[in-house]
Amino acid sequence: MYRSMMLINGEQVEGASGRSEIIHNPANQEPVAEVVIGDVSDAVRALEAARHAFPEWSSSSPKIRCNLLHDAAEIVRQRADHIAELLTMEMGKPIRDSRREVLSAADSLDYFAEEGLRNTGDWIATGDTRSIVTKQPIGVVSLITPWNYPVELLAWKAGPALAAGCTAVAKPSSLAPVAATEFIMAINDAGLPPGVLNIVHGSGDTVGAELVTNPISRKISFTGETSTGRWIMEAAARHLKRVSLELGGHAPMIVFDDADIDAAAGACVRRAFGNMGQVCISVNRVYVDDAIADDFTEKVIRRTLDLRIGNPLDPEVDLGPMVSGAQRRKTVEHIEDALRKGARLLCGGREPEGDLFAKGYYFMPTVLSDVDHTMRMMREETFGPVAPIMRFSGEEEAVRLANDTEYGLAAYIYTDSMRRAIRISERIEAGSIGVNVGSVIDHHAPFGGWKQSGIGRELSHRGLEEYMEIKHIRLGL
């Protein structure tokens, strides 16, 4: 069984309490790893190490930081198979998707390595004065990440933080800390000075809370539930800390009558059921023009039934288990609520049968029709493999339904009309809109939410600037 330790000041360490926990494979309940568990004192040690390392790291040249991040990316690629296997075993993601996640994380490091070189300021000439606008690293940052993309989402934070010249303490989710820790170890093995990038394990109530409230940290970058994000924002306000919060989502997909129905149905299945629907930008609500609803629904059902469910270490498998029994129960509760209120079950809606699935948190991908906004799944984030389909008539109704939510992270539109695509995109209340594409993620473009889906941006040069302070120096000649 693998043993996962913490990293503080460049050394792998035990926790002060001597505690550890066993991570079990959600596919079969077999033990995967023993994880060292930290407490408040470990979080403080990590923050102190980051503070001690900050002066040297922040004053190093961007080129040095760039080269180290490129070297780190290569080490991550060399270890991709190992990290991906750990990721699959601890949270159930199919192995090919886990490997893709790890390689994408390496790409993030490469991207921000170069973006750090372009992080220049301004020289402004006005009469007999000159204004210099510079960007400087904000200080020690706390990086708190979720279990569903434990490596890639950590790269979105660690990459820009290090490129900007910040030092950091990372805390992965207690549900899936192992692959994230291996990723941090790989970055450190590129030659980072001790204390620049640390990782601690533990609960959000203790270790996470210390990283948020301790005055050493000057910025909190958090991805997770909206309720936790609200608490972090309140706690960070006591020290006027900078926050980046990527929170819950409830993405609509709108399919108009002029859309490529085959492409739309395929994207719907991939985005609703990928990673068992445990994605913040999963399709949670499907709105289809009444004129094509029957044809679209039939294609979605057919593609859903073709998905292969099984051992996530099998490279031919499309869907593994859900991460936990609690997550599966929530999905079942949402489906039962919808059925009580008049929804029709078209496929799925149950656990698969057979010995292979007996010990795991498996669930069949589910398609529902005749849904409406009185149902929980149309108001709350299910975070499970469910595609509820609702009909609409006309653009106005489509926009109204899509915006009828407190969330605003992502949305998807399928149409053959560029005019309609632009018109609808500009009216949808979300931070990212995918038009005729099944993903809104691009390293070169900002990612983040509107409304209750968060504040701040990740990726692109804007993601780097989240870790910088701006300074104006005015010179008299």
Side-chain angles (χ1 to χ4, degrees), residues 122-126 129-134 472-475:
D122 301 302
W123 174 274
I124 305 167
T126 52
T129 66
R130 298 294 182 268
S131 287
I132 303 171
V133 180
T134 65
H472 170 217
I473 304 170
R474 191 170 188 231
L475 305 176

Side-chain angles (χ1 to χ4, degrees), residues 57 62 65 69 112-113 115-117 119 158-166 464 468:
W57 181 249
R65 301 196 293 264
L69 282 171
F112 283 109
E115 199 62 44
L117 295 177
N119 188 37
L162 296 177
C166 295
L464 180 68
M468 308 294 293

Side-chain angles (χ1 to χ4, degrees), residues 134-428:
T134 65
K135 301 174 186 177
Q136 296 178 217
I138 198 168
V140 176
V141 298
S142 295
L143 315 176
I144 304 175
T145 51
W147 51 263
N148 60 334
Y149 282 83
V151 176
E152 186 169 18
L153 296 184
L154 183 51
W156 288 11
K157 302 176 190 302
L162 296 177
C166 295
T167 56
V169 180
K171 193 202 86 66
S173 166
S174 297
L175 284 175
V178 184
T181 301
E182 284 300 294
F183 174 69
I184 294 296
M185 298 294 183
I187 297 175
N188 271 272
D189 286 347
L192 289 186
V196 169
L197 182 59
N198 310 271
I199 188 164
V200 290
H201 305 147
S203 73
D205 292 341
T206 56
V207 173
E210 182 65 24
L211 296 181
V212 170
T213 59
N214 191 300
I216 293 176
S217 63
R218 295 305 310 149
K219 173 185 167 63
I220 314 300
S221 181
F222 169 79
T223 300
E225 293 183 352
T226 295
S227 58
T228 306
R230 291 193 191 103
W231 178 86
I232 288 174
M233 194 168 185
E234 292 174 1
R238 296 173 195 144
H239 293 105
L240 295 179
K241 297 185 183 187
R242 187 91 60 85
V243 294
S244 297
L245 305 174
E246 196 264 276
L247 308 177
H250 205 254
M253 170 181 269
I254 306 173
V255 185
F256 287 99
D257 58 359
D258 61 350
D260 181 332
I261 301 178
D262 285 320
C268 176
V269 170
R270 288 191 300 274
R271 184 48 65 190
F273 303 136
N275 200 26
M276 290 298 279
Q278 300 167 133
V279 188
C280 57
I281 55 173
S282 283
V283 167
N284 291 170
R285 298 169 289 144
V286 187
Y287 302 111
V288 187
D289 191 292
D290 190 67
I292 60 167
D294 290 338
D295 191 11
F296 174 85
T297 302
E298 180 184 344
K299 292 179 184 295
V300 167
I301 294 171
R302 189 159 59 244
R303 289 174 181 265
T304 301
L305 294 174
D306 286 340
L307 294 173
R308 293 158 295 186
I309 306 173
N311 183 347
L313 288 173
D314 182 344
E316 300 301 317
V317 160
D318 298 307
L319 302 176
M322 301 188 72
V323 73
S324 68
Q327 202 61 47
R328 185 170 64 180
R329 284 192 298 273
K330 180 182 178 183
T331 300
V332 171
E333 289 170 2
H334 278 204
I335 292 170
E336 290 176 346
D337 171 78
L339 294 176
R340 282 195 303 270
K341 295 174 180 175
R344 284 197 303 134
L345 178 66
L346 303 182
C347 67
R350 60 178 177 82
E351 299 174 25
E353 299 174 352
D355 293 341
L356 174 64
F357 309 109
K359 295 182 180 180
Y361 301 124
Y362 290 94
F363 197 76
M364 301 287 286
T366 301
V367 181
L368 299 174
S369 66
D370 297 343
V371 298
D372 60 51
H373 281 211
T374 67
M375 300 169 185
R376 288 181 62 190
M377 69 174 54
M378 301 298 279
R379 313 298 304 180
E380 305 171 17
E381 189 175 29
T382 303
F383 232 58
V386 183
I389 299 175
M390 182 175 180
R391 298 171 182 246
F392 72 84
S393 178
E395 289 184 11
E396 289 300 320
E397 184 179 21
V399 171
R400 177 179 60 79
L401 291 170
N403 286 338
D404 184 22
T405 176
E406 65 178 359
Y407 298 106
L409 188 58
Y412 305 90
I413 301 167
Y414 271 77
T415 176
D416 196 39
S417 167
M418 185 59 67
R419 290 179 179 176
R420 171 182 274 167
I422 294 173
R423 187 166 61 242
I424 300 300
S425 294
E426 291 179 347
R427 296 181 63 191
I428 296 296

